Amino acid sequence: MNANTFRPVLAGRRALVAGIANEHSIAWGCARAFRELGADVAVTYLNDKAKPWVEPLAKQLDSPLFLPLDVAKPGELEAVFDRIRAQWGSLDIVVHSIAWAPKGDLEGGLIDCSADGFAKAMDISCHSFVRMAKLAAPLMPEGGTLFAMSYHGAQKVVPNYNVMGPVKAALEASCRYLAYELGPRKIRVHAISPGPLKTRAASGLKDFDLLLNEAVQRAPVGELVDIMDVGFACAYLATPFARRITGETMYVDGGVNIMG
Ligand SMILES: NC(=O)c1ccc[n+]([C@@H]2O[C@H](COP(=O)([O-])OP(=O)(O)OC[C@H]3O[C@@H](n4cnc5c(N)ncnc54)[C@H](O)[C@@H]3O)[C@@H](O)[C@H]2O)c1
Protein backbone atom coordinates (compact mmCIF):
# COMPACT_ATOMS: atom_id res chain seq x y z
CA MET A 1 0.00 0.00 0.00
CA ASN A 2 1.41 3.41 -0.89
CA ALA A 3 0.24 6.93 -0.08
CA ASN A 4 -1.87 7.06 -3.26
CA THR A 5 -4.12 4.27 -2.03
CA PHE A 6 -5.17 6.15 1.15
CA ARG A 7 -8.73 7.41 1.15
CA PRO A 8 -9.02 11.04 2.32
CA VAL A 9 -9.86 10.77 6.02
CA LEU A 10 -13.12 12.69 5.76
CA ALA A 11 -14.36 11.12 2.50
CA GLY A 12 -18.10 10.59 2.65
CA ARG A 13 -18.49 12.91 5.66
CA ARG A 14 -20.90 15.83 5.65
CA ALA A 15 -20.06 19.07 7.39
CA LEU A 16 -21.98 22.26 8.14
CA VAL A 17 -19.76 25.31 8.53
CA ALA A 18 -21.36 28.51 9.85
CA GLY A 19 -19.41 31.74 10.16
CA ILE A 20 -17.62 32.39 6.87
CA ALA A 21 -17.58 36.14 6.21
CA ASN A 22 -14.64 36.20 3.78
CA GLU A 23 -11.40 34.41 2.90
CA HIS A 24 -9.82 35.49 6.21
CA SER A 25 -12.50 33.82 8.35
CA ILE A 26 -11.52 30.97 10.65
CA ALA A 27 -14.61 29.14 9.37
CA TRP A 28 -13.16 29.31 5.85
CA GLY A 29 -10.02 27.51 7.08
CA CYS A 30 -12.24 24.80 8.56
CA ALA A 31 -14.35 24.45 5.42
CA ARG A 32 -11.26 24.23 3.19
CA ALA A 33 -9.54 21.68 5.42
CA PHE A 34 -12.65 19.47 5.54
CA ARG A 35 -13.04 19.67 1.77
CA GLU A 36 -9.37 18.92 1.13
CA LEU A 37 -9.77 15.82 3.26
CA GLY A 38 -12.78 14.64 1.30
CA ALA A 39 -15.88 15.97 3.10
CA ASP A 40 -18.90 17.63 1.50
CA VAL A 41 -19.36 21.04 3.10
CA ALA A 42 -22.57 23.04 3.55
CA VAL A 43 -21.88 26.75 3.96
CA THR A 44 -23.97 29.55 5.45
CA TYR A 45 -23.82 33.31 4.97
CA LEU A 46 -25.16 35.98 7.32
CA ASN A 47 -27.43 37.95 4.96
CA ASP A 48 -27.73 39.44 1.47
CA LYS A 49 -24.93 41.91 2.21
CA ALA A 50 -22.53 39.09 3.08
CA LYS A 51 -23.66 36.76 0.29
CA PRO A 52 -21.44 38.12 -2.55
CA TRP A 53 -18.34 37.61 -0.36
CA VAL A 54 -19.21 34.08 0.69
CA GLU A 55 -20.73 32.71 -2.52
CA PRO A 56 -17.46 32.46 -4.52
CA LEU A 57 -15.88 30.64 -1.58
CA ALA A 58 -18.77 28.16 -1.39
CA LYS A 59 -18.36 27.60 -5.15
CA GLN A 60 -14.68 26.81 -4.67
CA LEU A 61 -15.75 24.01 -2.35
CA ASP A 62 -18.54 22.79 -4.67
CA SER A 63 -20.83 23.26 -1.68
CA PRO A 64 -24.07 21.38 -2.29
CA LEU A 65 -25.85 23.62 0.23
CA PHE A 66 -25.43 27.40 0.47
CA LEU A 67 -27.90 28.87 2.93
CA PRO A 68 -28.64 32.13 4.77
CA LEU A 69 -28.16 32.04 8.52
CA ASP A 70 -28.56 34.84 11.01
CA VAL A 71 -28.89 33.04 14.35
CA ALA A 72 -30.71 36.09 15.75
CA LYS A 73 -33.53 35.69 13.21
CA PRO A 74 -36.25 33.38 14.52
CA GLY A 75 -36.59 30.23 12.42
CA GLU A 76 -33.46 30.68 10.30
CA LEU A 77 -31.34 28.13 12.16
CA GLU A 78 -34.21 25.61 12.04
CA ALA A 79 -34.53 26.23 8.28
CA VAL A 80 -30.84 25.38 7.76
CA PHE A 81 -31.25 22.05 9.52
CA ASP A 82 -34.52 21.35 7.67
CA ARG A 83 -32.67 21.75 4.36
CA ILE A 84 -29.83 19.53 5.53
CA ARG A 85 -32.30 16.85 6.63
CA ALA A 86 -34.13 17.04 3.28
CA GLN A 87 -31.00 16.98 1.12
CA TRP A 88 -28.53 14.89 3.10
CA GLY A 89 -30.60 13.08 5.72
CA SER A 90 -27.64 13.08 8.09
CA LEU A 91 -24.68 15.15 9.22
CA ASP A 92 -21.24 14.35 10.69
CA ILE A 93 -19.60 17.68 11.54
CA VAL A 94 -20.82 21.12 12.63
CA VAL A 95 -18.66 24.22 13.05
CA HIS A 96 -19.99 27.25 14.91
CA SER A 97 -17.59 30.11 14.19
CA ILE A 98 -19.85 32.98 15.13
CA ALA A 99 -19.40 35.83 17.59
CA TRP A 100 -20.99 39.21 17.97
CA ALA A 101 -21.55 41.90 20.61
CA PRO A 102 -23.00 45.41 20.20
CA LYS A 103 -20.14 47.79 19.39
CA GLY A 104 -20.75 50.09 22.36
CA ASP A 105 -20.81 47.19 24.79
CA LEU A 106 -17.74 45.54 23.28
CA GLU A 107 -15.66 48.70 23.36
CA GLY A 108 -16.24 49.51 27.01
CA GLY A 109 -15.03 47.49 29.97
CA LEU A 110 -17.20 44.65 31.27
CA ILE A 111 -18.37 46.86 34.11
CA ASP A 112 -20.05 49.21 31.64
CA CYS A 113 -21.66 46.48 29.52
CA SER A 114 -25.46 46.90 29.37
CA ALA A 115 -27.78 44.03 30.31
CA ASP A 116 -29.16 44.09 26.79
CA GLY A 117 -25.68 44.01 25.20
CA PHE A 118 -24.58 41.19 27.48
CA ALA A 119 -27.70 39.15 26.65
CA LYS A 120 -27.32 39.70 22.89
CA ALA A 121 -23.62 38.77 22.93
CA MET A 122 -24.43 35.65 24.93
CA ASP A 123 -27.33 34.66 22.69
CA ILE A 124 -25.50 35.05 19.37
CA SER A 125 -22.03 33.90 20.46
CA CYS A 126 -22.96 31.12 22.90
CA HIS A 127 -26.58 30.01 23.14
CA SER A 128 -26.85 29.71 19.35
CA PHE A 129 -24.29 26.90 19.64
CA VAL A 130 -26.49 25.08 22.15
CA ARG A 131 -29.43 25.46 19.75
CA MET A 132 -27.27 24.15 16.90
CA ALA A 133 -26.29 21.12 18.95
CA LYS A 134 -29.95 20.34 19.66
CA LEU A 135 -30.84 20.51 15.97
CA ALA A 136 -27.72 18.62 14.82
CA ALA A 137 -27.95 15.69 17.22
CA PRO A 138 -30.96 13.97 15.61
CA LEU A 139 -29.09 14.10 12.27
CA MET A 140 -26.13 12.25 13.79
CA PRO A 141 -27.47 8.76 14.52
CA GLU A 142 -23.98 7.27 14.14
CA GLY A 143 -22.31 10.05 16.13
CA GLY A 144 -20.58 13.22 15.02
CA THR A 145 -18.42 16.14 16.06
CA LEU A 146 -19.41 19.69 17.02
CA PHE A 147 -17.00 22.62 17.21
CA ALA A 148 -17.28 26.12 18.70
CA MET A 149 -14.59 28.79 18.45
CA SER A 150 -13.39 30.22 21.75
CA TYR A 151 -10.43 32.36 22.78
CA HIS A 152 -7.94 32.46 25.65
CA GLY A 153 -9.79 35.50 27.03
CA ALA A 154 -12.27 32.89 28.37
CA GLN A 155 -9.67 31.55 30.81
CA LYS A 156 -7.46 34.53 31.56
CA VAL A 157 -7.97 38.26 31.43
CA VAL A 158 -6.94 39.64 28.03
CA PRO A 159 -7.11 43.45 28.03
CA ASN A 160 -9.78 44.82 25.65
CA TYR A 161 -11.54 41.46 25.27
CA ASN A 162 -14.17 42.82 27.69
CA VAL A 163 -17.63 41.18 27.59
CA MET A 164 -16.40 38.50 25.19
CA GLY A 165 -14.32 36.99 28.03
CA PRO A 166 -17.32 35.86 30.10
CA VAL A 167 -19.22 34.96 26.93
CA LYS A 168 -16.42 32.64 25.74
CA ALA A 169 -16.12 31.19 29.26
CA ALA A 170 -19.82 30.27 29.01
CA LEU A 171 -19.20 28.83 25.55
CA GLU A 172 -16.38 26.59 26.81
CA ALA A 173 -18.52 25.42 29.74
CA SER A 174 -21.40 24.77 27.33
CA CYS A 175 -19.07 22.56 25.27
CA ARG A 176 -18.27 20.51 28.37
CA TYR A 177 -21.93 20.09 29.33
CA LEU A 178 -22.94 19.25 25.76
CA ALA A 179 -20.06 16.75 25.56
CA TYR A 180 -21.42 15.10 28.70
CA GLU A 181 -25.02 15.06 27.49
CA LEU A 182 -24.27 13.95 23.92
CA GLY A 183 -21.38 11.58 24.71
CA PRO A 184 -23.66 8.52 25.01
CA ARG A 185 -24.82 9.26 21.45
CA LYS A 186 -21.18 9.28 20.27
CA ILE A 187 -21.38 12.98 19.52
CA ARG A 188 -18.20 14.74 20.59
CA VAL A 189 -18.04 18.45 21.34
CA HIS A 190 -14.95 20.63 21.24
CA ALA A 191 -14.15 24.22 22.02
CA ILE A 192 -11.27 25.34 19.82
CA SER A 193 -9.15 28.21 21.10
CA PRO A 194 -7.14 29.74 18.26
CA GLY A 195 -4.40 32.28 18.77
CA PRO A 196 -5.08 35.78 17.41
CA LEU A 197 -5.86 35.94 13.70
CA LYS A 198 -6.43 39.04 11.64
CA THR A 199 -10.10 38.68 10.71
CA ARG A 200 -13.08 41.00 10.47
CA ALA A 201 -14.33 40.06 13.93
CA ALA A 202 -10.86 40.72 15.39
CA SER A 203 -10.79 44.19 13.84
CA GLY A 204 -13.53 45.17 16.33
CA LEU A 205 -11.11 44.74 19.24
CA LYS A 206 -9.03 47.69 20.41
CA ASP A 207 -5.24 47.34 20.00
CA PHE A 208 -5.58 43.98 18.26
CA ASP A 209 -2.24 44.48 16.49
CA LEU A 210 -0.52 44.57 19.88
CA LEU A 211 -2.07 41.19 20.64
CA LEU A 212 -0.69 39.79 17.38
CA ASN A 213 2.80 41.13 18.13
CA GLU A 214 2.72 39.74 21.63
CA ALA A 215 1.52 36.34 20.39
CA VAL A 216 4.34 35.97 17.90
CA GLN A 217 6.92 36.98 20.50
CA ARG A 218 5.60 34.64 23.18
CA ALA A 219 4.69 31.61 21.06
CA PRO A 220 7.08 28.71 21.69
CA VAL A 221 6.83 27.85 17.97
CA GLY A 222 7.83 31.44 17.14
CA GLU A 223 5.08 32.22 14.66
CA LEU A 224 1.40 33.10 14.43
CA VAL A 225 -1.21 30.51 13.55
CA ASP A 226 -3.19 30.68 10.34
CA ILE A 227 -6.75 29.63 9.56
CA MET A 228 -5.63 26.34 7.99
CA ASP A 229 -3.91 25.37 11.26
CA VAL A 230 -7.30 25.73 12.93
CA GLY A 231 -9.06 23.90 10.10
CA PHE A 232 -6.75 20.89 10.15
CA ALA A 233 -6.91 20.67 13.96
CA CYS A 234 -10.71 20.47 13.67
CA ALA A 235 -10.42 17.96 10.83
CA TYR A 236 -8.25 15.71 13.01
CA LEU A 237 -10.72 15.91 15.91
CA ALA A 238 -13.52 14.95 13.49
CA THR A 239 -11.78 11.71 12.47
CA PRO A 240 -12.02 8.37 14.27
CA PHE A 241 -8.36 8.92 15.31
CA ALA A 242 -9.79 11.28 17.94
CA ARG A 243 -12.83 9.19 18.85
CA ARG A 244 -12.23 9.27 22.59
CA ILE A 245 -11.43 12.95 22.88
CA THR A 246 -14.33 15.20 23.85
CA GLY A 247 -15.26 18.26 25.90
CA GLU A 248 -11.76 19.73 25.81
CA THR A 249 -10.77 23.24 24.93
CA MET A 250 -8.14 22.62 22.28
CA TYR A 251 -5.65 25.44 21.88
CA VAL A 252 -4.34 26.12 18.39
CA ASP A 253 -2.06 28.98 19.34
CA GLY A 254 1.53 27.90 18.83
CA GLY A 255 1.73 27.29 22.59
CA VAL A 256 1.17 30.88 23.78
CA ASN A 257 -1.27 29.69 26.49
CA ILE A 258 1.38 27.65 28.32
CA MET A 259 3.56 30.70 28.92
CA GLY A 260 3.58 32.37 32.34
N1 LIG B 1 -9.76 36.21 14.98
C1 LIG B 1 -9.29 35.82 16.16
O1 LIG B 1 -8.22 36.25 16.59
C2 LIG B 1 -10.04 34.80 16.96
C3 LIG B 1 -9.36 34.11 17.97
C4 LIG B 1 -10.05 33.17 18.72
C5 LIG B 1 -11.39 32.94 18.45
N2 LIG B 1 -12.04 33.62 17.47
C6 LIG B 1 -13.46 33.30 17.23
O2 LIG B 1 -13.58 32.70 15.97
C7 LIG B 1 -14.92 32.87 15.50
C8 LIG B 1 -14.89 33.39 14.08
O3 LIG B 1 -14.39 34.70 14.02
P1 LIG B 1 -13.33 35.18 12.93
O4 LIG B 1 -12.17 35.73 13.68
O5 LIG B 1 -13.13 34.14 11.90
O6 LIG B 1 -14.05 36.46 12.30
P2 LIG B 1 -15.10 36.62 11.11
O7 LIG B 1 -15.57 38.02 11.17
O8 LIG B 1 -14.52 36.15 9.84
O9 LIG B 1 -16.26 35.60 11.52
C9 LIG B 1 -17.28 35.94 12.44
C10 LIG B 1 -18.56 35.40 11.84
O10 LIG B 1 -19.65 35.56 12.75
C11 LIG B 1 -20.77 35.74 11.93
N3 LIG B 1 -21.92 36.25 12.69
C12 LIG B 1 -21.99 37.37 13.47
N4 LIG B 1 -23.25 37.51 13.93
C13 LIG B 1 -23.97 36.47 13.41
C14 LIG B 1 -25.34 36.07 13.51
N5 LIG B 1 -26.24 36.79 14.19
N6 LIG B 1 -25.73 34.95 12.87
C15 LIG B 1 -24.85 34.21 12.16
N7 LIG B 1 -23.55 34.55 12.01
C16 LIG B 1 -23.14 35.67 12.63
C17 LIG B 1 -20.29 36.73 10.87
O11 LIG B 1 -21.18 36.74 9.77
C18 LIG B 1 -18.95 36.14 10.55
O12 LIG B 1 -19.04 35.23 9.48
C19 LIG B 1 -15.59 33.80 16.52
O13 LIG B 1 -16.30 33.01 17.45
C20 LIG B 1 -14.41 34.46 17.20
O14 LIG B 1 -14.73 34.92 18.50
C21 LIG B 1 -11.39 34.54 16.72
Side-chain angles (χ1 to χ4, degrees):
M1 180 138 115
N2 63 42
N4 295 330
T5 63
F6 282 124
R7 236 174 137 235
V9 281
L10 295 181
R13 300 301 168 106
R14 287 160 170 163
L16 165 66
V17 175
I20 301 178
N22 55 41
E23 75 277 20
H24 305 295
S25 295
I26 292 172
W28 172 234
C30 296
R32 267 183 61 198
F34 297 160
R35 187 72 188 133
E36 277 184 29
L37 296 172
D40 287 326
V41 184
V43 165
T44 67
Y45 58 94
L46 179 62
N47 51 29
D48 284 348
K49 204 170 144 207
K51 191 176 180 183
W53 300 96
V54 189
E55 195 161 26
L57 302 176
K59 284 209 171 108
Q60 277 185 49
L61 303 177
D62 301 315
S63 291
L65 284 157
F66 179 62
L67 305 164
L69 175 61
D70 179 338
V71 295
K73 280 200 189 146
E76 223 159 76
L77 189 58
E78 288 76 5
V80 166
F81 282 90
D82 284 347
R83 280 290 303 277
I84 290 175
R85 191 181 311 107
Q87 190 151 331
W88 278 348
S90 68
L91 192 58
D92 302 287
I93 302 168
V94 172
V95 173
H96 175 289
S97 190
I98 292 170
W100 186 83
K103 201 168 158 35
D105 292 290
L106 181 63
E107 282 171 354
L110 176 62
I111 203 162
D112 291 322
C113 183
S114 68
D116 185 51
F118 193 97
K120 281 192 174 130
M122 194 64 102
D123 183 55
I124 289 173
S125 316
C126 178
H127 190 256
S128 63
F129 179 60
V130 180
R131 299 200 296 275
M132 260 188 194
K134 187 171 173 116
L135 291 163
L139 295 175
M140 298 179 158
E142 315 275 314
T145 322
L146 312 178
F147 297 98
M149 293 301 153
S150 188
Y151 178 60
H152 192 47
Q155 309 252 352
K156 300 283 177 191
V157 173
V158 175
N160 301 317
Y161 204 53
N162 304 335
V163 60
M164 288 314 292
V167 168
K168 293 295 193 191
L171 182 65
E172 291 184 8
S174 301
C175 287
R176 289 190 286 273
Y177 279 84
L178 291 171
Y180 166 70
E181 292 173 17
L182 296 174
R185 295 159 77 171
K186 304 242 174 313
I187 298 172
R188 297 177 295 110
V189 187
H190 301 285
I192 305 295
S193 189
L197 283 147
K198 225 175 160 105
T199 62
R200 221 184 46 205
S203 69
L205 298 173
K206 189 167 165 262
D207 291 337
F208 186 74
D209 282 344
L210 297 182
L211 217 61
L212 285 172
N213 288 341
E214 199 193 334
V216 74
Q217 276 162 22
R218 285 163 51 84
V221 302
E223 42 190 17
L224 292 171
V225 295
D226 63 42
I227 58 171
M228 295 310 292
D229 296 325
V230 182
F232 283 119
C234 292
Y236 157 68
L237 288 170
T239 67
F241 298 121
R243 69 184 187 278
R244 304 237 161 76
I245 305 173
T246 192
E248 296 284 343
T249 295
M250 148 90 75
Y251 277 90
V252 184
D253 70 343
V256 175
N257 75 94
I258 66 169
M259 302 304 291

